[in-house]
Amino acid sequence: MIARIAGRVEEVNEGSVLVDVGGGVWYEVLVPVCEVERLAKRVGQDVVLYTIHYHEGDPSHGAVTPRLLGFLSPSDRDFFRVFTTVKGVGMRKALRAMARPVGELAAAIQAKDVRFLKDLPEIGPKMAERIAAELSGQMDEFAGPAPAAGPELSEAAEEAVLVLVQLG
């Protein structure tokens, strides 16, 4: 299981980022829509992504592809795990639906704001109602302002954080 990946952002595409972890190894990591723009500003810089590793496809037909999902904080990853427990919200759908910061999504779910939820990509009125009904009591630790909403760190500060994270 790959739980975390650290390396240099080499390329950002719609919904994914290429991370150079060194030694000629580059990982394609799928990321939430809300993080694409932020990661695009970090091309050429180091990043730490908290990951979920899963297999996509149908094993009965031999068509299984390993996928790596990445999040900028462990809390965002934990939110994603809870979010995908709703029937009909798979990995890819959840990544596309996460078009707003986790704090906003969690606050909307906690408040059962179906109007906000149905306006998310991939989420219609019935799915919004299901999400609000199933998850509204599980959002306390995620609701509130998103951690990413704070000021951007300087390059030196980001490097210091990266080193500290690698040291544990």
Side-chain angles (χ1 to χ4, degrees):
M1 173 82 129
I2 301 170
R4 184 172 55 197
I5 187 170
R8 188 175 59 245
V9 176
E10 291 297 332
E11 185 178 313
V12 178
N13 301 303
E14 187 177 322
S16 69
V17 61
L18 284 176
V19 179
D20 179 358
V21 296
V25 178
W26 291 30
Y27 282 96
E28 177 186 31
V29 183
L30 304 177
V31 295
V33 171
C34 66
E35 300 296 359
V36 170
E37 184 179 325
R38 191 165 172 217
L39 287 165
K41 294 177 183 175
R42 297 184 66 182
V43 170
Q45 297 178 7
D46 288 339
V47 69
V48 174
L49 296 173
Y50 299 86
T51 60
I52 296 172
H53 183 238
Y54 81 102
H55 292 89
E56 180 178 82
D58 185 357
S60 65
H61 291 100
V64 177
T65 304
R67 298 282 185 209
L68 198 57
L69 311 178
F71 305 88
L72 290 171
S73 75
S75 177
D76 288 359
R77 178 182 60 190
D78 294 343
F79 171 84
F80 183 86
R81 286 183 171 139
V82 172
F83 191 49
T84 56
T85 62
V86 176
K87 184 178 180 188
V89 180
M91 301 291 190
R92 294 282 190 139
K93 180 181 266 191
L95 288 174
R96 288 188 295 269
M98 290 176 68
R100 306 292 309 152
V102 166
E104 289 181 28
L105 296 173
I109 293 169
Q110 190 73 6
K112 297 184 179 182
D113 186 348
V114 174
R115 188 177 324 164
F116 177 92
L117 296 172
K118 76 174 181 60
D119 289 339
L120 296 171
E122 304 277 330
I123 306 296
K126 288 184 181 182
M127 181 61 69
E129 289 175 16
R130 184 179 306 147
I131 291 168
E134 290 185 26
L135 300 181
S136 65
Q138 302 176 45
M139 295 289 115
D140 288 339
E141 68 181 280
F142 308 112
E152 290 290 321
L153 297 176
S154 69
E155 188 172 327
E158 286 183 5
E159 188 172 320
V161 169
L162 177 65
V163 169
L164 291 171
V165 168
Q166 290 174 343
L167 292 173

